[in-house]
Amino acid sequence: MAWRSRDTLPVKQERADELLLALAALLLRGGERVRGFGAPRAFIGRPALAPLASFLPEQAAQPGDPRLPRHARVVLFSDFLAPLEETRVALAGLAAQGLRGHLLQILDPAEETLPFAGHIRFEDPSGGAPAPIPRTEALRGAYQAALAAHREGLAAAASAMGWSFATHRTDQPPELALLALFQRLEGG
Amino acid sequence: MLSLGPIGFAAPWLLLALPALPVLWWLLRVTPPAPKRQIFPATRILRDLRPAEATPARTPWWLLLLRLLVAGLIIFGLARPIWQPNAGTGQSGPLLLVLDDGWAAAPDWARRMAAAQGILEAAKREARPVALLATAPHQGEADQLVFLPAEEAAARLAVLRPKPWAPDRVVALTAVKALRAANSGGFESLFLTDGLEHGANEDAAPFLAALAEAGPLTLLHAPAEPRRVIAPPVLEGDRLRIKLLQALVAMPGQAAILARGGDGASLARVELALPAGAGSAEAALQLPSEIRNQVVRLELEPEAGAAGVFLLDESFRRRPVGLSAAEDTGADAPLIGPLFYLLRALDPFAELRRGTPEALLARRLSVLILADRELADPKEREALEAWVRAGGTLIRFAGPRLAAKQDSLLPVPLRAGERQLGGMLTWEKPQTLASFPDHSPFSGLVPPAEVTVERQVLAEPSPRLAERSWARLADGTPLVTAETRGAGRIVLFHVTAQAEWSNLPLSGLFVDMLRRLVALSAGVAAGEADQPLAPLETLDGFGRLGAPPSGAAPLSARALDEARASPRHPPGWYGPAGAAGEAAYRRALNLSTHLPAPRMMAAPPASARMEALGGEAAERDLGPWLLAAAFALFLVELIAALGLRGLWRPRRFALPGLLLLALMPWQVSAQGADGSAALATRLAYIQTGDAAVDETSRSGLAGLADFVNRRTAAALAEPHGVTPGQDDLSFYPLLYWPILPDAPAPSAAMVAALNDFMRQGGIILMDTRDQGSGEGMSPGARAALRRVTRDLAIPPLIPVPEDHVLNRAFYLLNELPGRFAGGQVWVARDQDRANDSVSPVILGGHDWAAAWAMDRNGQHPHATIPGGARQRVLAYRFGTNLVMYALTGNYKGDQVHVPAILERLGN
């Protein structure tokens, strides 16, 4: 998540935090209780926004909290680039608790279009094996297809559990994604 | 040697590597550059994709081409390509290389050597044996001419230097004949000739014929190069007539002759124009005698080697000779006047002055001749005695007055009255002269039998009379006696200077005797005709003085006049052994004394090929350039490869770098622009319109500003040249104004501007450049001064008083010298409170700007006269005082500083 393709774009993590805090601010203003995975208790009331922000770096790496009340709503911000199966297992765990929720996939534009060309050795920031690609431009179409398939898999997994799935690119304004999310929470 | 068009290859087998380039192509293709690294979160997706397309990476085509180009350039570079390989290609067999290395080859010696080296280089590549023949005679035995490997010939060539004498083609011809006899197969000849005929006869033609007979002959010569010689100058009255000879050249030319002093200072320069087709040009060098006597060397500009240097020895010095008779009126009356014969005898070789002894001694004088003049005034006698002891030569002629009244300034005591021979009442016949004794300076002269003496004054017999007698009559009575006093001499002719007592003044002997006496006044020792003169310093082929070569032999003074420049007697200075130095007597042996006027060589045989030296481009080794280009391309390739790997961001560094490079020249040129005159304090000079004088003024003030900036707190900028009436003078504290002899009267606007300048507190330093030791340097400047200043509001002037602020504004000075010293400097007499009593005009004639001037190399282009570093320092100090005076006014004249000055004087 801590990556961007150009200096002019925000890092994906920043955009995720930004959206999360904006959403939390709206919800807190509406009297909702907001909680992060790994937090001991919920944050309540407007003044809780600052503690929430300072909690963000400490949140749990994997979603999942047995103490969550039923009918609570879950919003997950991620690039969801982990293998589809891992994501599905994590979602199933949450759904089994009777939770419903929303997935927002945040991607860098470069991750969608693969604008590179030539002989490139791609390295995974999360520590996976590198991928040396002799002619990147030749692989662009296949990559975009694979990414679309991955998204479809995510969307299918979400809808199978009654969750919703949306995507956001860091070169787009965050307000649109925020509005869509908020409406879904209101509506659902 | 393989050649492709104008390019030849010295190591062509390396070109066999060229077919290997396609292999290189294939190798380079399969080894692509290292990949770029890119962090990418979705790498996992890509990793899963990879097996789908496994196309191998390819090197981009342009990079491949670049690398092939680099490889190709390296192969070509190592094959030693040569641009336009030299003549001699295609020929084989032995080669004779003939070089003229006489005086005429010196001006373009470097070009000749380069051409000869090129020829030997070509011969080395073709493995041809080479014989090297230098036509000028050299020290020791002539070597046997043999064919050598080209390497050895190149080593011999490297030590050749031009000789300061003429080539001898007769000797060269015998060497060629011997070589021809030893090599029946013949040989090719290359003749690097100076194009001149050197012998008295037509020596070049048989020599060329012998070369042409032995095989193909090529002549390399430089037709455009003029061969110039300074002919022996002629002393003519008060000037030195200089003649420049040159071989016929179609182009008009320009030359200058520099007169240099013993310390190398250039004292004068004359320009000569050589019209097209002219064989000679003449110019006259006119200098005050004191300065002309310092000239020891004439030099041609542009440098022309030994032939462009002429050394001037004693025979070219004109000594100032003073003449004084008892009564000045009628002293030069034809045939009867006491000075008539003296003037006629001395005029061609001495500078003559007339007047009373007192007036004559006021200037520097070598010889004073008193024709029957008694010295009654004791003060006059004392002054003369002191002058003689300081080195003067006093020559006296007897007569009725001297016979009646003797004084102390005589070499021998005289008997009262005179002795008459062959008169009505005497038994004795008029006496002829005895031959001159050996110790006499007249030794070597032959007294003609018709010279007789009828009357003379007689010396008292004394033990030393014999050694003091320089000439005697046949009966043994002294005719000329001399005595050394201090550093000088007193010489007495016991007869009159006119034909009254003897007919000696009518004979040629009289002229010779006077000439020897005047020459003696410079310290020429007697009895020198057969004395061997050893070479002290000799010229090399380039006209530089140096230690004599080991083969140089001494020769007698008599032989020196006849000697031709040769290896045994190279041109240069000769003198008595162990008497080196400026003051010692020395004689010059000059190359051009016995050199015929340069004339072109006869046309070569029809079979000979003529080539202009340096006309064709010299061969050039392209190898290093190709390798350098390969290296540069390799750097480009490296940057490109780094770019492909993402390690080099061109737009970050390269662009600013390029911009910086592109901007630099403009920035530099932008700094050259000058600001307005008002932005800095600076000195100024009045432009005279004479480019040389204006340049001297400019560099002089620049040199002074430099000195002042270093020594004081003043910060002066570059001086400006101004034209009063056009430029605003109010920015300048000081104007330097050299007055030219032909300066016109200033215009009304100029007068108004200068008057205004002086009224507002400006100072004008007027310089007539002819005072003191520079007397006579700028004749007419004083009349010009009168003309120029007629309308200027110049206050009454007085000589600079001893306590004037100019003498102590910064340095304490007793005199205010410039290039010259000893003249009078004038300032305003009256104190004018309006301008802090600063004198608006300082008037002198010491040519200050010339003393301050400095050229680009930091050298002083104008010698100080009488000379010395001290005079230059004092000139700068005067300049500093002047600038201080101009900038601070009479500040130092304030009474406030009297205690400090008193204290300093007390110390």
Side-chain angles (χ1 to χ4, degrees):
Chain A
M1 287 289 280
W3 184 79
R4 58 182 169 186
S5 61
R6 298 200 300 268
D7 293 351
T8 49
L9 293 175
V11 173
K12 288 190 289 178
Q13 183 74 54
E14 276 175 16
R15 179 55 58 85
D17 291 348
E18 192 183 355
L19 283 169
L20 186 147
L21 286 173
L23 186 63
L26 290 174
L27 293 173
L28 287 171
R29 197 180 294 172
E32 302 283 350
R33 288 148 40 110
V34 178
R35 188 164 182 171
F37 289 115
R41 53 193 168 75
F43 299 92
I44 309 161
R46 282 191 197 187
L49 195 59
L52 174 63
S54 51
F55 160 76
L56 278 182
E58 300 160 22
Q59 64 181 328
Q62 286 299 317
D65 190 343
R67 294 170 298 160
L68 284 178
R70 288 173 70 87
H71 310 300
R73 300 287 193 84
V74 177
V75 182
L76 293 178
F77 300 92
S78 173
D79 53 9
F80 297 107
L81 287 175
L84 202 55
E85 211 45 48
E86 280 177 32
T87 313
R88 199 176 281 148
V89 168
L91 292 183
L94 291 172
Q97 279 180 272
L99 301 171
R100 283 197 297 144
H102 306 275
L103 307 182
L104 183 66
Q105 187 184 30
I106 300 174
L107 285 185
D108 194 276
E111 288 171 327
E112 277 197 3
T113 57
L114 194 70
F116 310 106
H119 188 187
I120 297 175
R121 177 187 153 102
F122 290 100
E123 288 172 1
D124 197 339
S126 57
I133 308 291
R135 286 181 64 224
T136 314
E137 60 273 23
L139 215 59
R140 195 171 292 144
Y143 170 81
Q144 283 167 356
L147 185 68
H150 183 74
R151 269 185 186 161
E152 271 173 33
L154 281 173
S159 59
M161 291 175 288
W163 289 35
S164 73
F165 174 78
T167 59
H168 172 68
R169 266 168 59 166
T170 51
D171 60 346
Q172 288 165 352
E175 294 88 346
L176 291 174
L178 183 65
L179 185 64
L181 261 183
F182 190 70
Q183 280 171 349
R184 271 169 206 262
L185 285 175
E186 265 193 332
Chain B
M1 183 102 182
L2 172 80
S3 53
L4 300 169
I7 301 178
F9 290 95
W13 52 270
L14 262 169
L15 296 179
L16 292 179
L18 280 178
L21 279 181
V23 182
L24 197 66
W25 172 281
W26 181 77
L27 276 173
L28 288 174
R29 239 172 96 91
V30 297
T31 47
K36 212 194 288 191
R37 294 153 71 93
Q38 175 69 54
I39 291 174
F40 194 59
T43 299
R44 198 188 48 76
I45 299 176
L46 281 169
R47 202 166 52 227
D48 295 343
L49 284 176
R50 203 170 55 140
E53 188 181 341
T55 320
R58 280 217 203 114
T59 312
W61 65 269
W62 52 269
L63 190 62
L64 205 58
L65 201 65
L66 202 60
R67 288 177 177 178
L68 281 179
L69 198 59
V70 170
L73 281 177
I74 290 175
I75 292 172
F76 274 110
L78 290 180
R80 293 195 44 209
I82 293 162
W83 180 254
Q84 290 181 340
N86 249 328
T89 49
Q91 302 271 358
S92 58
L95 173 71
L96 171 64
L97 178 59
V98 186
L99 272 140
D100 273 337
D101 59 344
W103 58 266
D108 52 354
W109 183 250
R111 229 166 60 181
R112 287 167 183 278
M113 285 304 270
Q117 274 159 0
I119 291 163
L120 289 187
E121 196 70 19
K124 190 155 64 176
R125 281 196 300 268
E126 289 161 358
R128 302 174 69 179
V130 177
L132 187 64
L133 172 61
T135 55
H138 55 97
Q139 313 275 0
E141 290 289 302
D143 295 333
Q144 182 75 30
L145 196 58
V146 285
F147 284 107
L148 303 166
E151 288 86 348
E152 245 174 87
R156 291 192 177 195
L157 178 72
V159 298
L160 275 185
R161 294 283 175 276
K163 310 286 190 298
W165 46 81
D168 189 344
R169 298 217 172 97
V170 178
V171 174
L173 176 63
T174 52
V176 168
K177 277 184 175 155
L179 187 72
R180 179 80 178 92
N183 294 270
S184 52
F187 44 82
E188 191 197 345
S189 304
L190 274 167
F191 187 10
L192 265 163
T193 177
D194 55 27
L196 292 185
E197 190 72 54
H198 288 290
N201 313 314
E202 304 289 317
D203 293 336
F207 180 63
L208 290 175
L211 290 177
E213 188 265 329
L217 166 65
T218 308
L219 265 81
L220 287 161
H221 67 138
E225 187 77 29
R227 311 278 160 207
R228 292 176 177 155
V229 178
I230 300 185
V234 183
L235 260 179
E236 200 175 65
D238 56 346
R239 56 200 191 132
L240 196 61
R241 206 152 49 86
I242 301 171
K243 194 168 179 186
L244 186 64
L245 301 174
Q246 72 168 6
L248 288 178
V249 178
M251 302 280 288
Q254 191 74 28
I257 288 178
L258 278 178
R260 287 190 186 277
D263 53 357
S266 84
L267 299 168
R269 186 170 188 273
V270 273
E271 300 261 353
L272 288 120
L274 290 141
S280 66
E282 281 194 23
L285 189 68
Q286 201 147 12
L287 284 174
S289 66
E290 286 97 338
I291 291 163
R292 199 187 41 232
N293 285 344
Q294 292 180 21
V295 176
V296 297
R297 177 183 167 103
L298 299 175
E299 253 175 49
L300 188 61
E301 243 186 19
E303 277 184 37
V309 174
F310 196 93
L311 304 173
L312 299 174
D313 59 13
E314 292 298 326
S315 54
F316 286 96
R317 299 213 174 157
R318 277 169 65 88
R319 303 213 130 63
V321 174
L323 295 170
S324 189
E327 285 164 17
D328 203 40
T329 47
D332 52 357
L335 303 179
I336 53 165
L339 298 184
F340 175 74
Y341 296 98
L342 288 172
L343 288 168
R344 301 274 296 234
L346 288 169
D347 190 48
F349 60 92
E351 183 184 303
L352 299 181
R353 298 172 188 165
R354 292 178 54 185
T356 61
E358 193 188 0
L360 288 170
L361 290 185
R363 285 178 72 185
R364 287 174 60 181
L365 205 60
S366 290
V367 179
L368 178 62
I369 301 183
L370 300 179
D372 191 22
R373 187 184 192 286
E374 73 273 33
L375 296 169
D377 184 1
K379 268 175 84 177
E380 196 175 62
R381 271 208 304 276
E382 268 167 38
L384 268 173
E385 172 98 32
W387 171 74
V388 168
R389 288 195 180 279
T393 299
L394 176 66
I395 302 177
R396 304 187 69 175
F397 283 86
R401 292 161 197 271
L402 193 72
K405 190 171 187 337
Q406 297 183 29
D407 53 58
S408 60
L409 288 174
L410 287 171
V412 287
L414 297 179
R415 285 187 187 171
E418 71 254 21
R419 167 200 190 200
Q420 189 162 7
L421 306 159
M424 304 276 276
L425 298 171
T426 54
W427 294 104
E428 288 156 306
K429 293 201 171 124
Q431 288 284 327
T432 55
L433 267 64
S435 59
F436 295 108
D438 279 345
H439 68 266
S440 152
F442 308 132
S443 120
L445 296 178
V446 181
E450 65 269 17
V451 172
T452 54
V453 173
E454 292 171 9
R455 211 187 279 193
Q456 66 173 157
V457 289
L458 276 178
E460 287 278 2
S462 75
R464 316 195 61 161
L465 186 59
E467 78 186 61
R468 287 186 182 173
S469 300
W470 279 359
R472 286 200 196 92
L473 296 182
D475 66 355
T477 50
L479 177 67
V480 180
T481 51
E483 185 200 10
T484 306
R485 282 204 195 166
R489 269 196 192 84
I490 298 176
V491 181
L492 173 68
F493 279 75
H494 291 230
V495 291
T496 53
Q498 70 268 49
E500 210 174 319
W501 285 15
S502 77
N503 60 4
L504 177 66
L506 302 179
S507 74
L509 180 67
F510 187 62
V511 179
D512 287 337
M513 287 169 84
L514 283 174
R515 190 183 287 244
R516 289 212 173 180
L517 284 178
V518 171
L520 199 66
S521 71
V524 179
E528 39 98 347
D530 291 315
Q531 187 181 8
L533 300 177
L536 303 174
E537 273 185 302
T538 57
L539 290 170
D540 66 7
F542 295 110
R544 289 180 296 234
L545 278 174
S550 54
L555 74 177
S556 74
R558 214 192 302 273
L560 191 82
D561 296 330
E562 306 304 320
R564 298 175 72 105
S566 68
R568 271 181 71 73
H569 304 303
W573 291 113
Y574 287 76
E582 195 62 28
Y585 163 66
R586 57 180 192 176
R587 295 277 304 271
L589 174 61
N590 279 300
L591 167 67
S592 66
T593 314
H594 294 287
L595 212 57
R599 61 189 198 282
M600 299 311 282
M601 199 160 72
S607 63
R609 213 152 55 89
M610 299 287 282
E611 268 179 36
L613 186 64
E616 56 177 314
E619 69 168 28
R620 189 169 289 176
D621 195 351
L622 296 177
W625 297 102
L626 288 188
L627 291 179
F631 182 69
L633 281 181
F634 172 71
L635 284 181
V636 171
E637 191 269 347
L638 194 70
I639 291 169
L642 284 177
L644 283 180
R645 292 176 59 179
L647 297 177
W648 174 272
R649 302 272 175 86
R651 75 198 146 107
R652 258 195 216 165
F653 309 104
L655 210 57
L658 282 177
L659 279 179
L660 202 67
L661 279 177
L663 281 177
M664 243 142 50
W666 278 281
Q667 279 179 344
V668 168
S669 65
Q671 286 167 356
D674 213 337
S676 149
L679 293 182
T681 307
R682 62 183 86 224
L683 308 176
Y685 58 93
I686 293 183
Q687 285 167 333
T688 57
D690 182 324
V693 172
D694 287 349
E695 173 54 25
T696 302
S697 302
R698 194 204 61 74
S699 59
L701 292 185
L704 176 63
D706 193 42
F707 184 88
V708 169
N709 289 348
R710 270 185 288 134
R711 299 297 164 99
T712 74
L716 299 178
E718 272 285 297
H720 276 176
V722 297
T723 308
Q726 287 177 27
D727 298 305
D728 190 348
L729 300 181
S730 58
F731 305 125
Y732 309 106
L734 179 73
L735 282 185
Y736 176 74
W737 191 0
I739 309 287
L740 296 190
D742 55 354
S747 65
M750 196 166 163
V751 168
L754 287 173
N755 281 341
D756 201 40
F757 177 73
M758 288 190 282
R759 196 165 50 247
Q760 306 294 339
I763 297 179
I764 302 178
L765 174 63
M766 291 188 188
D767 193 346
T768 54
R769 309 185 304 145
D770 66 340
Q771 293 266 311
S773 55
E775 180 112 19
M777 286 297 264
S778 178
R782 274 176 230 187
L785 181 69
R786 218 164 288 136
R787 186 164 64 235
V788 160
T789 54
R790 198 174 49 224
D791 297 329
L792 291 179
I794 292 180
L797 300 178
I798 48 163
V800 176
E802 208 169 302
D803 61 345
H804 195 268
V805 184
L806 262 182
N807 283 335
R808 56 199 168 101
F810 194 84
Y811 293 102
L812 291 177
L813 297 175
N814 294 325
E815 46 174 346
L816 309 174
R819 186 180 178 205
F820 312 130
Q824 192 57 262
V825 181
W826 302 75
V827 293
R829 182 190 66 197
D830 303 321
Q831 305 280 305
D832 176 9
R833 279 280 151 213
N835 273 331
D836 194 20
S837 304
V838 169
S839 172
V841 171
I842 299 165
L843 177 66
H846 286 162
D847 201 1
W848 287 288
W852 300 329
M854 233 187 246
D855 63 13
R856 275 161 208 274
N857 307 325
Q859 306 284 326
H860 299 292
H862 303 278
T864 53
I865 295 166
R870 175 80 185 157
Q871 189 182 342
R872 176 108 39 207
V873 169
L874 287 180
Y876 275 119
R877 289 184 176 180
F878 163 66
T880 310
N881 277 8
L882 182 69
V883 171
M884 288 296 134
Y885 186 54
L887 294 181
T888 64
N890 266 336
Y891 160 72
K892 284 276 175 162
D894 280 355
Q895 292 298 309
V896 182
H897 300 283
V898 165
I901 293 169
L902 280 179
E903 194 182 345
R904 182 161 172 194
L905 290 175
N907 289 341

